[in-house]
Amino acid sequence: MRYAIYTRSHPNDTDCKADHIQYSHCRDFAGRFRLGSVLPQYSDTLKVSADGAVNGMENLLDDIRLGHIHGVIVEDTSLLSRCSWQLVKIFDFFAAHQTRILVVKETIPCPIP
C-alpha cells in the first residue's frame, strides 16, 4: 500500500512554512505507524513540481485514479478543501477508489458521552 502526504498553507503564508510543518508532522506519523519513509507530497500552495505548477489536489486525484496512491495522510481534514461541499466530494472520491485517509490530528469537536 502506497501512501502520500497532502499539505496546504494559508494564502498569506508566502514562504509555505505551514506546508513544511505539516509534512514533518505527517512524515513523523507515517514513521510511527510504519507507513513508509519516503512519501510523495502533494500541495496546492507549495511549488513541488519542476515547472513551479501548483496543482496538488488534481495530481493526487489523478494518481489515485491510476492506482499509484492507496492512502492519504493529512494533518487535518480541513486542509483538503476550503469548502465543505468540496470536502464531501473528495471523501466520496476516496471511498469510490478505496483510498484510505489518515488524519494526524482532528479539530472537529466531538461530544463526550
Side-chain angles (χ1 to χ4, degrees), residues 24-25 30 33 39 46 52 65 80 98 112:
S24 175
H25 292 165
F33 293 100
L39 303 172
L46 183 64
R65 256 187 229 101
L80 290 171
Q98 299 177 340
I112 298 174

Side-chain angles (χ1 to χ4, degrees), residues 85-105:
W85 64 269
Q86 284 179 329
L87 185 58
V88 170
K89 287 179 112 176
I90 291 168
F91 284 149
D92 287 346
F93 178 88
F94 285 175
H97 290 83
Q98 299 177 340
T99 303
R100 292 182 178 184
I101 180 165
L102 302 175
V103 182
V104 174
K105 67 179 184 177

